[in-house]
Amino acid sequence: MLRRSLLKSGGAAGLLGLLPIGAARADTLDEVKKRGTLIVGTEAAYVPYEFVKDGEIIGYDPDIIAIMVKNLGVKAQLIDTAWNGIIPALYASKFDCIISAMTITGERAQRVLFSMPYADASNVILLRADESSIKTAADLSGKTIGVQLGSAAAGIIKVFEAKLTAAGQPGYAEVKQYEHYPEAYQDLLNRRVDAVVNSKSTMMVVMRDAPGKFKMLDGISDITAYFGMAFRKEDGALRDFVNTQLAQLKSDGTLAELQRKWFGGTMDTPNTVPEVLP
């Protein structure tokens, strides 16, 4: 398990300024080696990718980070950061990179460098198990939808709503945006929203941990999406190191082993960022 920092971006900005990172550097990889610590921005509220248990951040991402820093000969420090401000915090040099189940999207790719994909981020619709009025994605017309603020799903549902209205159907009744996805799942059970949109791999775990309460529905997007690790545009050396590590983890079966551990199955991912992005 990795060391957890209790500092948050925003309110703890003064304390974060004491971290030995400084301004963005031409070679952050070299700075990480000299410092002896890779400082990672994450939002520890996204089971099973990263979440807090017994005061430690654990999950699929922390397991990958632990392997990479061992191979680099440094330690890892994770900064628990509000998702909606995580990219600005990266460019404010609060940490060296973002490793936090970030969907590779066209809009984000203009702002950050992405690693090769390392998990499937395709979005699906989560419904209550007793839901009978939503049989296809088109049935979201007139419904209340829940997503996390600043998530890739928040953009995907806008695109899908445009398709609905172009086809002459009403849009959504309401879109509720949450600070964290677990709040949306609870509101779904409490019938405050009709559906929640999020990545399939995450929804698999939600369904596993609450047997009989939910079901999934495809069709919200026709583009396969992936998760990647994010870096400042000038930090190509650090991104290249991470890509080398991910390629090795894929080839030797370690990544598949971690996926079985955290998701109960494996995911095929390409070794380059796709040209067509959500």
Side-chain angles (χ1 to χ4, degrees):
M1 292 185 290
L2 300 180
R3 176 185 173 189
R4 180 193 184 200
S5 174
L6 298 178
L7 302 180
K8 291 278 189 175
S9 66
L15 291 174
L16 282 167
L18 299 176
L19 290 172
I21 302 178
R25 300 174 187 276
D27 190 349
T28 298
L29 178 60
D30 187 54
E31 175 66 20
V32 168
K33 292 176 181 178
K34 291 178 180 178
R35 187 196 309 140
T37 305
L38 177 70
I39 304 177
V40 179
T42 192
E43 186 200 41
Y46 199 56
V47 178
Y49 286 91
E50 45 269 321
F51 59 102
V52 178
K53 184 177 181 181
D54 299 327
E56 300 286 345
I57 296 177
I58 64 171
Y60 178 63
D61 283 341
D63 277 3
I64 295 173
I65 294 167
I67 294 170
M68 292 195 301
V69 296
K70 181 179 180 181
N71 291 339
L72 189 58
V74 301
K75 297 179 180 180
Q77 180 183 3
L78 272 58
I79 305 295
D80 193 357
T81 304
W83 185 253
N84 200 39
I86 201 165
I87 291 179
L90 173 66
Y91 277 98
S93 292
K94 304 293 175 62
F95 30 78
D96 303 309
C97 59
I98 299 168
I99 303 179
S100 190
M102 178 173 280
T103 303
I104 304 171
T105 67
E107 186 276 331
R108 287 173 179 160
Q110 295 178 20
R111 304 168 66 193
V112 299
L113 282 178
F114 275 109
S115 71
M116 69 172 68
Y118 70 103
D120 191 320
S122 298
N123 277 259
V124 296
I125 304 159
L126 187 71
L127 304 169
R128 291 183 298 275
D130 62 356
E131 174 60 59
S132 60
S133 65
I134 303 175
K135 295 181 174 62
T136 70
D139 295 328
L140 295 178
S141 173
K143 304 296 186 181
T144 299
I145 315 299
V147 292
Q148 179 170 296
L149 182 68
S151 67
I156 287 169
I157 64 169
K158 288 182 181 179
V159 173
F160 188 74
E161 184 176 36
K163 292 181 180 179
L164 290 176
T165 56
Q169 295 180 259
Y172 311 127
E174 183 183 359
V175 174
K176 290 189 176 182
Q177 299 197 52
Y178 297 83
E179 288 293 330
H180 305 292
Y181 261 116
E183 301 162 13
Y185 305 143
Q186 191 59 50
D187 268 7
L188 180 59
L189 288 176
N190 292 336
R191 301 181 183 273
R192 296 190 182 100
V193 297
D194 300 304
V196 175
V197 177
N198 196 4
S199 66
K200 184 175 183 178
S201 56
T202 302
M203 298 302 204
M204 289 166 56
V205 178
V206 172
M207 293 181 63
R208 181 197 68 190
D209 292 346
K213 292 185 177 181
F214 299 108
K215 60 184 178 182
M216 284 192 298
L217 182 67
D218 291 319
I220 194 69
S221 176
D222 55 5
I223 299 175
T224 302
Y226 297 99
F227 289 124
M229 302 174 183
F231 309 83
R232 290 183 289 267
K233 283 286 190 177
E234 64 269 27
D235 283 342
L238 182 57
R239 189 274 310 272
D240 291 347
F241 166 78
V242 167
N243 273 347
T244 300
Q245 293 292 300
L246 289 174
Q248 179 62 37
L249 293 176
K250 290 181 183 185
S251 66
D252 67 16
T254 300
L255 201 66
E257 181 181 339
L258 292 177
Q259 290 168 356
R260 283 189 288 268
K261 171 184 175 181
W262 291 106
F263 303 101
T266 61
M267 297 172 254
D268 291 327
T269 57
N271 281 357
T272 57
V273 174
E275 291 185 7
V276 179
L277 298 173

